[in-house]
Amino acid sequence: MNRFAHAQEPEPGVGIGWRHPHYGELLETRPALGFLEVHSENFFAEGGAALEVLLQARASYPVSLHGVGLALGSAAGVDPWHLDQLARLAERIAPARISDHASFARGVINGQDVHAGDLLPIPFNQESLTVFCRNVHQVQERLKRPLLVENLSAYLTLAGSDRSETDFLGELVQRTGCGLLVDVNNIYVNALNARLAGGPDAPDPLRACEQWLAQLPAGAVGEIHLGGYCVMEDIVIDDHGSRVADEVWQLYAHAITRFGAVPTLIEWDTALPPLAVLLGEAERARRLNQPAEMSA
């Protein structure tokens, strides 16, 4: 049993990423949503308008904190200041969930701490797993709760992997008691890029993603992300700037069949549409996100 488990787990629901252009309209109209998700780092400042707005929203909705800066795969470790700010924010708003990514970003060059400012991939091997487990343990001990770790949309493959991504994530869950945030759009983007790189002999993207989902420990999935992607000439980018693609909706339905009803986020960060468009996407997810008998 996870010793950080909440006394009462949040009910499954569908939420949206809450971004600045929609602050006022959402607080005025209070649409029916399961939760709001915000980027943790945007609310680290002590006091100020941003935190006050978040506290107003928290009075009406559960809030999920989604981070991009913990750099959990970094051998340099977790930045103590960053972790302190996250812990303070979590204490203020009592979030439903806290998550970050299966990536690295921090390092030491010529004795100086540096940060890449990006979500960089890690090799899936024992050395990386040891680093990752150490950092996740540290974060969970500080927060006194489980962390959700999100699979990455990766645009290069690092040498040195000796296991699959799903095996790596499964071992991470087993060793740390963390949960998983499954970004369905990310796995589809990775599959599309694998097809671009591999040509006609590459696996069918939908089938490859279904196999990826089947290899995860089902009970560890605490949240799902859905978003849009951008197809360019020689690469597909996970830009969160459009509606969820039909193929990603298919994979989401498959994921719900496997994992049961899981809190789900509509993630839209660039080229933001009117709030009504986000709410329409959330409603489509809500219709699919019904309690389902979990597959073995």
Side-chain angles (χ1 to χ4, degrees), residues 22-206:
H22 299 144
Y23 283 1
E25 184 179 357
L26 186 136
L27 290 175
E28 182 179 346
T29 60
R30 311 276 172 163
L33 287 166
F35 64 98
L36 300 177
E37 189 158 280
V38 298
H39 287 157
S40 310
E41 292 82 3
N42 290 341
F43 299 90
F44 278 2
E46 179 67 33
L51 183 59
E52 178 58 32
V53 165
L54 181 59
L55 290 171
Q56 289 180 41
R58 182 65 183 87
S60 298
Y61 300 99
V63 169
S64 180
L65 294 178
H66 186 52
V68 295
L70 279 175
L72 294 165
S74 302
V78 175
D79 179 359
W81 178 88
H82 190 288
L83 184 53
D84 283 346
Q85 305 316 302
L86 179 59
R88 184 178 66 176
L89 179 61
E91 196 170 308
R92 290 291 301 272
I93 68 167
R97 291 170 296 283
I98 302 178
S99 58
D100 211 295
H101 297 78
S103 65
F104 86 94
R106 296 187 70 234
V108 178
I109 298 178
N110 297 326
Q112 297 293 317
D113 288 342
V114 296
H115 197 288
D118 205 346
L119 301 171
L120 302 176
I122 57 175
F124 301 120
N125 58 34
Q126 189 60 45
E127 183 178 11
S128 291
L129 182 63
T130 299
V131 167
F132 218 104
C133 288
R134 182 190 69 214
N135 291 338
V136 169
H137 275 306
Q138 180 186 353
V139 171
Q140 292 185 149
E141 289 290 342
R142 181 72 172 84
L143 300 178
K144 303 301 180 189
R145 61 190 295 151
L147 184 70
L148 298 183
V149 176
E150 178 183 346
N151 57 289
L152 203 64
S153 55
Y155 304 107
L156 64 131
T157 301
L158 298 185
S161 292
D162 59 19
R163 65 203 71 186
S164 69
E165 181 180 20
T166 50
D167 283 346
F168 183 95
L169 294 173
E171 291 176 83
L172 177 68
V173 168
Q174 185 176 30
R175 289 179 54 175
T176 67
C178 74
L180 298 177
L181 191 166
V182 173
D183 191 313
V184 176
N185 192 63
N186 285 359
I187 62 172
Y188 190 61
V189 164
N190 289 344
L192 289 176
N193 282 323
R195 184 176 64 177
L196 285 173
D201 294 331
D204 174 75
L206 278 174

Side-chain angles (χ1 to χ4, degrees), residues 254-269:
H254 182 84
I256 292 301
T257 299
R258 167 137 177 81
F259 304 130
V262 176
T264 298
L265 179 80
I266 301 298
E267 194 172 30
W268 202 317
D269 296 319

